[in-house]
Amino acid sequence: QVQLVESGGGLVQPGGSLRLSCAASGSIFRINAMGWYRQAPGKWRELVAGITVSGSANYADSVKGRFTISRDSAKNTVYLQMTSLKPEDTAVYYCNAETFTKMGVREDYWGQGTQVTVSS
C-alpha cells in the first residue's frame, strides 16, 4: 500500500499564491507519473497538472502560465506552485500517483484532498 499526504491548502485572496505538496510513503517499488486533480462543488474531478518520471509536465488550459508542477523523486514528493489564483480555482485538490509493483502491476493512489479557497 502507498499513502499520499497532501499539505499546503488554505484560503487566499485573488491574485495570491499557494504551494501544495504531496508526499508518498509506504510500500513503494516504483512511482511513474504523478499529478494534481481538483474537484469543485457540483463539478467533475479534473486534471490540473501531471508530471512524468522524466519531468515532462502537462497542464489544463485553465492553469497554463499560472501553475507549475514539479517533483523530487528522491523524496517521492510532488509540488504544485499556484500563482495568480482566481476564485474559479477554488476546489479540493487531490494528489495522484501511478505506481508499479515488483510484478509490474499498475496501482493508482489518491491523497485525501486539500481545500483551496480563493476569495476576498
Side-chain angles (χ1 to χ4, degrees):
Q1 286 289 320
V2 173
Q3 295 79 42
L4 301 179
V5 178
E6 301 127 333
S7 61
L11 173 65
V12 64
Q13 293 187 341
S17 299
L18 280 176
R19 188 189 193 214
L20 305 182
S21 299
C22 172
S25 63
S27 302
I28 299 171
F29 178 69
R30 181 165 68 91
I31 297 179
N32 194 29
M34 299 186 78
W36 289 95
Y37 290 71
R38 68 186 180 187
Q39 187 167 17
K43 294 188 176 181
W44 295 103
R45 188 174 297 189
E46 63 175 355
L47 174 67
V48 176
I51 186 166
T52 67
V53 67
S54 62
S56 178
N58 64 289
Y59 299 91
D61 288 342
S62 59
V63 307
K64 282 181 181 177
R66 300 187 298 121
F67 291 9
T68 302
I69 189 170
S70 61
R71 67 189 286 175
D72 184 336
S73 295
K75 296 181 179 180
N76 292 323
T77 299
V78 64
Y79 306 95
L80 185 68
Q81 179 68 48
M82 305 184 292
T83 62
S84 302
L85 283 160
K86 305 175 181 180
E88 50 263 43
D89 294 317
T90 296
V92 178
Y93 284 69
Y94 296 92
C95 174
N96 172 269
E98 176 188 286
T99 74
F100 287 88
T101 68
K102 289 182 180 180
M103 301 302 293
V105 176
R106 173 178 166 172
E107 297 179 343
D108 283 12
Y109 291 91
W110 293 89
Q112 80 284 359
T114 185
Q115 177 71 46
V116 172
T117 302
V118 184
S119 175
S120 55

